[in-house]
Coordinates of all heavy atoms in Angstrom, one line a residue:
M1 N 10.7 -17.2 -6.2 CA 9.9 -16.2 -5.5 C 8.7 -17.0 -5.0 O 8.3 -18.0 -5.6 CB 9.5 -15.0 -6.3 CG 10.7 -14.1 -6.5 SD 10.1 -12.5 -6.8 CE 11.3 -12.1 -8.1
L2 N 8.1 -16.5 -3.9 CA 6.9 -17.1 -3.3 C 5.8 -16.1 -3.2 O 6.0 -14.9 -3.3 CB 7.3 -17.5 -1.8 CG 8.6 -18.3 -1.7 CD1 9.0 -18.4 -0.2 CD2 8.3 -19.7 -2.2
V3 N 4.6 -16.6 -3.1 CA 3.4 -15.8 -2.9 C 2.8 -16.1 -1.6 O 2.7 -17.3 -1.1 CB 2.4 -16.0 -4.1 CG1 1.1 -15.3 -3.8 CG2 3.0 -15.6 -5.4
G4 N 2.3 -15.1 -0.9 CA 1.7 -15.3 0.4 C 0.8 -14.1 0.8 O 0.6 -13.2 0.0
R5 N 0.1 -14.3 1.9 CA -0.8 -13.3 2.5 C -0.3 -12.8 3.8 O 0.1 -13.7 4.7 CB -2.2 -13.9 2.6 CG -3.2 -12.8 3.1 CD -4.6 -13.5 3.1 NE -4.7 -14.5 4.0 CZ -5.0 -14.5 5.3 NH1 -5.2 -13.3 5.8 NH2 -5.1 -15.5 6.1
I6 N -0.2 -11.6 4.1 CA 0.3 -11.1 5.3 C -0.8 -11.3 6.4 O -1.9 -10.9 6.2 CB 0.7 -9.6 5.3 CG1 1.8 -9.3 4.3 CG2 1.0 -9.1 6.7 CD1 2.1 -7.9 4.1
V7 N -0.4 -12.0 7.5 CA -1.3 -12.4 8.5 C -1.0 -11.7 9.8 O -1.8 -11.9 10.8 CB -1.4 -13.9 8.7 CG1 -2.0 -14.6 7.5 CG2 -0.1 -14.5 9.0
G8 N 0.1 -11.0 9.9 CA 0.4 -10.3 11.2 C 1.7 -9.5 11.1 O 2.5 -9.6 10.1
T9 N 1.9 -8.7 12.1 CA 3.1 -7.9 12.2 C 3.8 -8.2 13.5 O 3.2 -8.5 14.5 CB 2.8 -6.4 12.3 OG1 2.0 -6.0 11.1 CG2 4.0 -5.5 12.3
L10 N 5.2 -8.3 13.4 CA 5.9 -8.7 14.6 C 6.7 -7.4 15.1 O 7.1 -6.6 14.3 CB 7.0 -9.7 14.2 CG 6.4 -11.1 13.7 CD1 7.5 -12.0 13.3 CD2 5.6 -11.8 14.8
T11 N 6.8 -7.3 16.4 CA 7.5 -6.2 17.0 C 8.7 -6.7 17.7 O 8.7 -7.7 18.4 CB 6.6 -5.5 18.1 OG1 5.4 -5.1 17.4 CG2 7.2 -4.3 18.7
C12 N 9.8 -6.0 17.5 CA 11.1 -6.4 18.1 C 11.7 -5.3 18.9 O 11.7 -4.2 18.5 CB 12.2 -6.8 17.0 SG 11.7 -8.1 15.9
S13 N 12.1 -5.6 20.2 CA 12.7 -4.6 21.0 C 14.2 -4.4 20.7 O 14.8 -3.4 21.0 CB 12.5 -5.0 22.4 OG 13.1 -6.2 22.7
E14 N 14.8 -5.4 20.0 CA 16.2 -5.3 19.7 C 16.5 -6.1 18.4 O 15.8 -7.1 18.1 CB 17.0 -6.0 20.8 CG 18.4 -5.4 21.1 CD 19.1 -5.9 22.3 OE1 18.5 -5.9 23.4 OE2 20.2 -6.4 22.2
R15 N 17.4 -5.6 17.6 CA 17.7 -6.2 16.3 C 19.3 -6.4 16.1 O 20.0 -5.6 16.7 CB 17.2 -5.4 15.1 CG 15.7 -5.3 15.1 CD 15.3 -4.4 14.0 NE 13.9 -4.2 13.9 CZ 13.1 -4.4 12.9 NH1 13.6 -4.7 11.8 NH2 11.8 -4.2 13.0
A16 N 19.7 -7.4 15.4 CA 21.1 -7.5 15.1 C 21.6 -6.4 14.2 O 20.9 -5.7 13.5 CB 21.3 -8.8 14.3
D17 N 22.9 -6.1 14.4 CA 23.5 -5.1 13.5 C 23.3 -5.4 12.0 O 23.4 -6.6 11.6 CB 25.0 -5.0 13.8 CG 25.3 -4.4 15.2 OD1 24.5 -3.8 15.7 OD2 26.5 -4.7 15.7
G18 N 23.1 -4.4 11.3 CA 22.9 -4.6 9.8 C 21.5 -5.0 9.4 O 21.2 -5.3 8.3
F19 N 20.7 -5.2 10.4 CA 19.3 -5.8 10.1 C 18.4 -4.8 9.4 O 17.6 -5.1 8.6 CB 18.7 -6.3 11.4 CG 17.5 -7.1 11.2 CD1 17.6 -8.4 10.7 CD2 16.2 -6.7 11.5 CE1 16.5 -9.2 10.5 CE2 15.1 -7.4 11.3 CZ 15.3 -8.7 10.8
G20 N 18.6 -3.5 9.7 CA 17.7 -2.4 9.1 C 16.5 -2.2 9.9 O 16.2 -2.8 10.9
G21 N 15.7 -1.3 9.4 CA 14.5 -0.8 10.1 C 13.2 -1.3 9.5 O 12.1 -0.8 9.9
Q22 N 13.2 -2.2 8.5 CA 12.0 -2.7 7.9 C 11.1 -3.4 8.9 O 11.6 -4.1 9.9 CB 12.3 -3.6 6.8 CG 13.0 -3.0 5.6 CD 14.5 -2.9 5.8 OE1 15.0 -3.5 6.7 NE2 15.1 -2.2 4.9
A23 N 9.8 -3.3 8.8 CA 8.9 -4.0 9.6 C 9.0 -5.5 9.3 O 9.3 -6.0 8.2 CB 7.4 -3.5 9.3
L24 N 8.8 -6.3 10.3 CA 8.8 -7.8 10.2 C 7.3 -8.2 10.1 O 6.5 -7.9 11.0 CB 9.5 -8.5 11.3 CG 10.9 -8.2 11.5 CD1 11.5 -8.9 12.8 CD2 11.7 -8.8 10.3
M25 N 7.0 -9.0 9.1 CA 5.6 -9.4 8.9 C 5.6 -11.0 8.9 O 6.5 -11.7 8.4 CB 5.1 -8.9 7.5 CG 5.4 -7.5 7.2 SD 4.6 -6.4 8.5 CE 3.0 -6.2 7.8
Q26 N 4.4 -11.5 9.4 CA 4.2 -12.9 9.3 C 3.4 -13.1 8.0 O 2.4 -12.4 7.7 CB 3.2 -13.4 10.4 CG 3.9 -13.4 11.8 CD 2.9 -13.9 12.8 OE1 2.0 -13.2 13.2 NE2 3.1 -15.1 13.3
V27 N 3.9 -14.0 7.1 CA 3.4 -14.2 5.8 C 3.0 -15.7 5.7 O 3.8 -16.5 5.9 CB 4.4 -13.9 4.7 CG1 3.7 -14.1 3.3 CG2 4.8 -12.4 4.8
E28 N 1.7 -15.9 5.5 CA 1.2 -17.3 5.2 C 1.4 -17.6 3.7 O 0.8 -16.9 2.9 CB -0.3 -17.4 5.6 CG -0.8 -18.8 5.4 CD -2.2 -18.8 5.9 OE1 -3.1 -18.2 5.2 OE2 -2.5 -19.5 6.9
L29 N 2.3 -18.5 3.4 CA 2.5 -18.8 2.0 C 1.2 -19.5 1.4 O 0.5 -20.2 2.1 CB 3.7 -19.7 1.8 CG 5.0 -19.1 2.3 CD1 6.1 -20.1 2.2 CD2 5.3 -17.8 1.6
V30 N 1.0 -19.2 0.1 CA -0.2 -19.8 -0.5 C 0.2 -20.5 -1.8 O 1.2 -20.2 -2.4 CB -1.3 -18.8 -0.8 CG1 -1.9 -18.2 0.4 CG2 -0.8 -17.7 -1.7
G31 N -0.5 -21.6 -2.1 CA -0.3 -22.3 -3.3 C -0.9 -21.7 -4.5 O -1.6 -20.7 -4.4
R32 N -0.8 -22.3 -5.6 CA -1.2 -21.7 -6.9 C -2.7 -21.5 -6.9 O -3.2 -20.5 -7.5 CB -0.8 -22.7 -8.1 CG -1.3 -22.1 -9.4 CD -0.7 -23.0 -10.5 NE 0.6 -22.3 -10.8 CZ 1.5 -22.7 -11.7 NH1 1.2 -23.7 -12.4 NH2 2.6 -22.1 -11.9
S33 N -3.5 -22.3 -6.3 CA -4.9 -22.1 -6.2 C -5.4 -21.4 -4.9 O -6.6 -21.4 -4.6 CB -5.7 -23.5 -6.4 OG -5.3 -24.3 -5.4
G34 N -4.4 -20.9 -4.1 CA -4.8 -20.1 -3.0 C -4.8 -20.9 -1.6 O -5.2 -20.3 -0.6
E35 N -4.5 -22.2 -1.7 CA -4.6 -23.0 -0.5 C -3.4 -22.6 0.5 O -2.4 -22.3 0.0 CB -4.5 -24.5 -0.7 CG -3.2 -25.0 -1.2 CD -2.9 -24.9 -2.7 OE1 -3.8 -24.4 -3.4 OE2 -1.9 -25.4 -3.1
P36 N -3.7 -22.4 1.8 CA -2.7 -21.9 2.8 C -1.7 -22.9 3.0 O -1.9 -24.1 2.9 CB -3.5 -21.7 4.0 CG -4.7 -22.5 3.9 CD -5.0 -22.7 2.4
G37 N -0.4 -22.4 3.3 CA 0.7 -23.2 3.5 C 1.4 -22.8 4.8 O 0.7 -22.3 5.7
E38 N 2.7 -23.0 4.9 CA 3.4 -22.6 6.1 C 3.5 -21.1 6.3 O 3.3 -20.4 5.4 CB 4.8 -23.2 6.1 CG 5.7 -22.6 5.1 CD 7.2 -23.1 5.2 OE1 7.8 -23.0 6.2 OE2 7.7 -23.6 4.2
T39 N 3.7 -20.7 7.5 CA 3.9 -19.2 7.8 C 5.3 -19.0 8.0 O 6.1 -19.7 8.7 CB 3.1 -18.9 9.1 OG1 1.7 -19.2 8.8 CG2 3.2 -17.4 9.4
I40 N 5.8 -17.9 7.4 CA 7.2 -17.4 7.5 C 7.3 -16.0 8.0 O 6.2 -15.3 8.0 CB 8.0 -17.6 6.2 CG1 7.4 -16.6 5.1 CG2 8.0 -19.0 5.7 CD1 8.3 -16.5 3.9
V41 N 8.5 -15.5 8.4 CA 8.7 -14.2 8.8 C 9.5 -13.5 7.6 O 10.5 -14.1 7.1 CB 9.5 -14.0 10.1 CG1 9.8 -12.6 10.3 CG2 8.7 -14.6 11.2
A42 N 9.0 -12.3 7.2 CA 9.7 -11.6 6.1 C 9.8 -10.1 6.4 O 8.9 -9.5 7.0 CB 8.9 -11.7 4.8
C43 N 10.9 -9.5 6.0 CA 11.1 -8.1 6.1 C 10.3 -7.4 5.1 O 10.2 -7.9 3.9 CB 12.6 -7.7 5.9 SG 13.6 -8.1 7.2
N44 N 9.6 -6.3 5.4 CA 8.7 -5.7 4.5 C 9.4 -4.5 3.7 O 9.7 -3.5 4.3 CB 7.5 -5.1 5.2 CG 6.3 -4.7 4.3 OD1 6.5 -4.7 3.0 ND2 5.3 -4.3 4.9
A45 N 9.8 -4.7 2.4 CA 10.4 -3.7 1.6 C 9.4 -2.9 0.9 O 9.7 -2.1 0.0 CB 11.4 -4.4 0.7
T46 N 8.1 -3.0 1.2 CA 7.0 -2.3 0.5 C 6.2 -1.6 1.6 O 6.5 -1.6 2.8 CB 6.1 -3.3 -0.3 OG1 5.4 -4.1 0.7 CG2 7.0 -4.1 -1.2
T47 N 5.0 -1.2 1.2 CA 4.1 -0.6 2.2 C 2.9 -1.6 2.4 O 1.9 -1.2 3.0 CB 3.4 0.7 1.6 OG1 2.8 0.4 0.3 CG2 4.5 1.7 1.4
A48 N 3.1 -2.9 2.1 CA 2.1 -3.9 2.3 C 1.6 -4.0 3.8 O 2.5 -3.8 4.6 CB 2.5 -5.2 1.8
G49 N 0.4 -4.3 3.9 CA -0.2 -4.5 5.3 C -0.9 -5.8 5.4 O -1.1 -6.5 4.4
E50 N -1.4 -6.0 6.6 CA -2.1 -7.2 7.0 C -3.3 -7.4 6.0 O -4.0 -6.5 5.7 CB -2.7 -7.1 8.4 CG -3.1 -8.5 8.9 CD -3.2 -8.5 10.4 OE1 -2.6 -7.7 11.1 OE2 -4.0 -9.3 10.9
G51 N -3.4 -8.7 5.6 CA -4.5 -9.1 4.6 C -4.1 -9.0 3.2 O -4.8 -9.6 2.3
E52 N -3.0 -8.3 2.8 CA -2.7 -8.2 1.4 C -1.8 -9.4 1.0 O -1.1 -10.0 1.7 CB -1.8 -6.9 1.2 CG -2.7 -5.7 1.4 CD -2.0 -4.4 1.0 OE1 -1.2 -3.9 1.7 OE2 -2.2 -4.0 -0.2
Y53 N -2.1 -9.7 -0.3 CA -1.3 -10.8 -1.0 C 0.0 -10.2 -1.5 O 0.0 -9.1 -2.2 CB -2.1 -11.4 -2.1 CG -3.1 -12.4 -1.5 CD1 -4.3 -11.9 -1.0 CD2 -2.9 -13.8 -1.4 CE1 -5.2 -12.8 -0.5 CE2 -3.8 -14.6 -0.9 CZ -5.0 -14.2 -0.4 OH -5.9 -15.0 0.2
V54 N 1.2 -10.8 -1.3 CA 2.4 -10.3 -1.6 C 3.4 -11.3 -2.3 O 3.1 -12.5 -2.2 CB 3.1 -9.7 -0.4 CG1 2.4 -8.5 0.2 CG2 3.3 -10.8 0.7
V55 N 4.4 -10.8 -3.0 CA 5.5 -11.6 -3.5 C 6.6 -11.5 -2.5 O 7.0 -10.4 -2.1 CB 5.9 -11.1 -4.9 CG1 7.1 -12.0 -5.4 CG2 4.7 -11.2 -5.9
V56 N 7.2 -12.7 -2.3 CA 8.3 -12.7 -1.3 C 9.5 -13.3 -2.0 O 9.5 -14.4 -2.6 CB 8.0 -13.6 -0.1 CG1 9.1 -13.8 0.9 CG2 6.7 -13.1 0.6
A57 N 10.6 -12.6 -1.9 CA 12.0 -13.1 -2.4 C 12.7 -13.7 -1.2 O 12.5 -13.3 0.0 CB 12.8 -11.9 -2.9
S58 N 13.5 -14.7 -1.5 CA 14.2 -15.4 -0.5 C 15.7 -15.4 -0.7 O 16.2 -15.2 -1.8 CB 13.7 -16.8 -0.3 OG 13.8 -17.5 -1.5
G59 N 16.5 -15.7 0.4 CA 17.9 -15.8 0.3 C 18.5 -14.5 -0.2 O 18.2 -13.4 0.3
H60 N 19.5 -14.6 -1.0 CA 20.4 -13.5 -1.5 C 19.5 -12.4 -2.2 O 19.7 -11.2 -2.0 CB 21.5 -14.0 -2.5 CG 22.4 -12.9 -2.8 ND1 23.3 -12.3 -1.9 CD2 22.7 -12.3 -4.0 CE1 24.0 -11.4 -2.5 NE2 23.7 -11.4 -3.8
A61 N 18.4 -12.9 -2.9 CA 17.6 -11.9 -3.6 C 16.9 -11.1 -2.6 O 16.6 -9.9 -2.8 CB 16.5 -12.7 -4.5
A62 N 16.5 -11.6 -1.4 CA 15.8 -10.9 -0.4 C 16.7 -9.8 0.1 O 16.3 -8.6 0.4 CB 15.4 -11.8 0.8
R63 N 18.0 -10.1 0.4 CA 19.0 -9.2 0.9 C 19.2 -8.1 -0.1 O 19.3 -6.9 0.3 CB 20.2 -9.9 1.3 CG 20.0 -10.8 2.6 CD 21.3 -11.5 3.1 NE 21.8 -12.5 2.2 CZ 21.3 -13.7 2.1 NH1 20.3 -14.1 2.9 NH2 21.9 -14.6 1.3
L64 N 19.3 -8.4 -1.4 CA 19.5 -7.4 -2.4 C 18.3 -6.4 -2.5 O 18.5 -5.2 -2.7 CB 19.8 -8.1 -3.7 CG 21.1 -8.7 -3.9 CD1 21.2 -9.4 -5.3 CD2 22.3 -7.7 -3.7
A65 N 17.1 -7.0 -2.4 CA 15.9 -6.2 -2.4 C 15.9 -5.1 -1.3 O 15.3 -4.0 -1.4 CB 14.7 -7.0 -2.3
L66 N 16.5 -5.5 -0.1 CA 16.6 -4.6 1.0 C 17.7 -3.6 1.0 O 17.9 -2.7 1.8 CB 16.6 -5.4 2.3 CG 15.4 -6.2 2.6 CD1 15.6 -7.1 3.8 CD2 14.2 -5.3 2.9
G67 N 18.6 -3.8 -0.1 CA 19.8 -3.0 -0.2 C 20.8 -3.3 0.9 O 21.6 -2.5 1.2
A68 N 20.8 -4.6 1.4 CA 21.7 -4.9 2.5 C 22.2 -6.4 2.2 O 21.7 -7.3 2.9 CB 21.0 -4.8 3.8
P69 N 23.1 -6.6 1.3 CA 23.6 -7.9 0.9 C 24.2 -8.7 2.1 O 24.3 -9.9 2.0 CB 24.6 -7.7 -0.2 CG 24.9 -6.2 -0.1 CD 23.8 -5.5 0.6
E70 N 24.6 -8.1 3.2 CA 25.2 -8.8 4.3 C 24.2 -8.9 5.5 O 24.6 -9.5 6.5 CB 26.4 -8.1 4.8 CG 27.5 -7.9 3.7 CD 28.0 -9.3 3.2 OE1 28.1 -10.2 3.9 OE2 28.2 -9.3 1.9
A71 N 23.0 -8.5 5.4 CA 22.0 -8.5 6.5 C 21.6 -10.0 6.7 O 21.6 -10.8 5.9 CB 20.8 -7.7 6.1
P72 N 21.3 -10.3 8.0 CA 20.8 -11.6 8.4 C 19.4 -11.8 8.1 O 18.5 -11.9 8.9 CB 21.1 -11.7 9.9 CG 21.0 -10.3 10.3 CD 21.5 -9.4 9.2
V73 N 19.0 -11.8 6.8 CA 17.7 -11.9 6.3 C 17.5 -13.0 5.3 O 18.3 -13.2 4.5 CB 17.2 -10.5 5.6 CG1 15.9 -10.6 5.0 CG2 17.3 -9.4 6.7
E74 N 16.4 -13.8 5.5 CA 16.1 -14.9 4.6 C 15.0 -14.6 3.7 O 14.8 -15.3 2.7 CB 15.9 -16.2 5.4 CG 17.1 -16.8 5.9 CD 18.1 -17.3 4.8 OE1 17.6 -17.8 3.8 OE2 19.3 -17.1 5.0
A75 N 14.1 -13.7 4.0 CA 12.9 -13.4 3.2 C 12.5 -11.9 3.2 O 12.6 -11.3 4.3 CB 11.7 -14.3 3.7
A76 N 12.1 -11.4 2.1 CA 11.6 -10.0 2.0 C 10.5 -9.9 1.1 O 10.4 -10.5 0.0 CB 12.8 -9.1 1.5
I77 N 9.5 -9.1 1.6 CA 8.3 -8.8 0.7 C 8.8 -7.7 -0.3 O 9.2 -6.7 0.0 CB 7.2 -8.2 1.6 CG1 6.8 -9.3 2.6 CG2 6.0 -7.8 0.7 CD1 5.8 -8.8 3.7
V78 N 8.6 -8.1 -1.6 CA 9.1 -7.2 -2.7 C 8.0 -6.6 -3.5 O 8.3 -5.7 -4.3 CB 10.2 -7.9 -3.5 CG1 11.4 -8.3 -2.7 CG2 9.6 -9.2 -4.1
A79 N 6.8 -7.1 -3.5 CA 5.7 -6.6 -4.3 C 4.4 -6.9 -3.7 O 4.2 -7.9 -2.9 CB 5.8 -7.2 -5.7
I80 N 3.4 -6.1 -3.9 CA 2.0 -6.3 -3.5 C 1.2 -6.8 -4.8 O 1.3 -6.1 -5.8 CB 1.4 -5.0 -3.0 CG1 2.2 -4.5 -1.8 CG2 -0.1 -5.3 -2.6 CD1 1.8 -3.1 -1.3
L81 N 0.5 -7.8 -4.7 CA -0.2 -8.4 -5.8 C -1.6 -7.6 -6.0 O -2.4 -7.5 -5.1 CB -0.6 -9.8 -5.6 CG 0.5 -10.8 -5.7 CD1 0.0 -12.2 -5.4 CD2 1.1 -10.8 -7.1
D82 N -1.7 -7.0 -7.2 CA -2.9 -6.3 -7.5 C -4.0 -7.3 -7.6 O -3.9 -8.4 -8.3 CB -2.8 -5.5 -8.8 CG -1.8 -4.4 -8.7 OD1 -1.6 -3.9 -7.6 OD2 -1.3 -3.9 -9.8
G83 N -5.2 -7.1 -7.1 CA -6.3 -8.0 -7.2 C -6.4 -9.0 -6.1 O -7.2 -9.9 -6.1
G84 N -5.4 -9.0 -5.1 CA -5.5 -9.9 -4.0 C -5.5 -11.3 -4.4 O -4.7 -11.8 -5.3
R85 N -6.4 -12.1 -3.8 CA -6.4 -13.6 -4.1 C -6.8 -13.8 -5.5 O -6.4 -14.9 -6.1 CB -7.4 -14.2 -3.1 CG -7.4 -15.7 -3.2 CD -8.2 -16.4 -2.2 NE -8.0 -17.8 -2.4 CZ -8.8 -18.7 -1.8 NH1 -9.8 -18.3 -1.1 NH2 -8.6 -20.0 -2.0
D86 N -7.6 -13.0 -6.1 CA -7.9 -13.2 -7.6 C -6.7 -13.2 -8.5 O -6.8 -13.8 -9.5 CB -8.9 -12.1 -8.0 CG -10.3 -12.3 -7.4 OD1 -10.6 -13.4 -6.9 OD2 -11.0 -11.2 -7.3
A87 N -5.6 -12.6 -8.1 CA -4.4 -12.6 -8.9 C -3.8 -14.0 -9.0 O -2.9 -14.2 -9.9 CB -3.4 -11.6 -8.3
L88 N -4.1 -14.9 -8.1 CA -3.6 -16.2 -8.1 C -4.3 -17.1 -9.1 O -3.7 -18.1 -9.5 CB -3.8 -16.9 -6.7 CG -3.1 -16.1 -5.5 CD1 -3.5 -16.8 -4.2 CD2 -1.6 -16.1 -5.7
R89 N -5.4 -16.7 -9.6 CA -6.1 -17.5 -10.6 C -5.3 -17.6 -11.9 O -4.7 -16.6 -12.4 CB -7.4 -16.9 -10.9 CG -8.4 -17.0 -9.7 CD -9.7 -16.6 -10.1 NE -10.5 -16.6 -8.9 CZ -11.7 -16.1 -8.8 NH1 -12.4 -15.7 -9.9 NH2 -12.4 -16.2 -7.7
T90 N -5.2 -18.8 -12.5 CA -4.5 -18.9 -13.8 C -5.5 -19.4 -14.8 O -6.5 -20.1 -14.5 CB -3.3 -19.9 -13.6 OG1 -3.9 -21.2 -13.2 CG2 -2.3 -19.4 -12.6
T91 N -5.2 -19.1 -16.0 CA -6.0 -19.6 -17.2 C -5.2 -20.6 -17.9 O -4.0 -20.6 -18.0 CB -6.5 -18.5 -18.1 OG1 -5.3 -17.8 -18.5 CG2 -7.3 -17.5 -17.3
T92 N -5.9 -21.5 -18.6 CA -5.3 -22.5 -19.4 C -5.6 -22.3 -20.8 O -6.4 -21.6 -21.3 CB -5.7 -24.0 -19.0 OG1 -7.1 -24.1 -19.0 CG2 -5.2 -24.3 -17.6

């Protein structure tokens, strides 16, 4: 699983069969200390919105989270991190 911050919403006028009605979100992946990484597109299986830190499942796990194991999906937002960026802090 990956952690990221939602940086935008995508709008589609047409979708492939089996894709579902979930919103498509732009998610900027973040590292353990919060440094920004690449941006991906993920289906939103939660109520998360722009600016929130989220957990993203990928591959088969993403499709299962959406309840659509055959859908053409590679990433799905499956949780909202409580505490936002502060949730990324780790203790030793």
Side-chain angles (χ1 to χ4, degrees):
M1 289 205 219
L2 308 166
V3 173
R5 183 176 63 86
I6 297 176
V7 295
T9 302
L10 301 173
T11 303
C12 300
S13 59
E14 213 172 305
R15 295 176 184 229
D17 289 340
F19 194 70
Q22 294 83 11
L24 293 176
M25 312 301 273
Q26 288 179 292
V27 179
E28 180 180 70
L29 300 179
V30 294
R32 183 169 270 184
S33 60
E35 71 275 3
E38 71 175 304
T39 300
I40 64 170
V41 174
C43 289
N44 194 356
T46 69
T47 59
E50 195 164 335
E52 291 191 274
Y53 283 81
V54 295
V55 176
V56 178
S58 59
H60 187 65
R63 293 185 288 279
L64 288 177
L66 296 171
E70 301 300 321
V73 173
E74 284 296 318
I77 297 167
V78 296
I80 301 170
L81 288 177
D82 293 338
R85 186 172 185 196
D86 291 339
L88 301 174
R89 294 185 184 176
T90 57
T91 57
T92 56

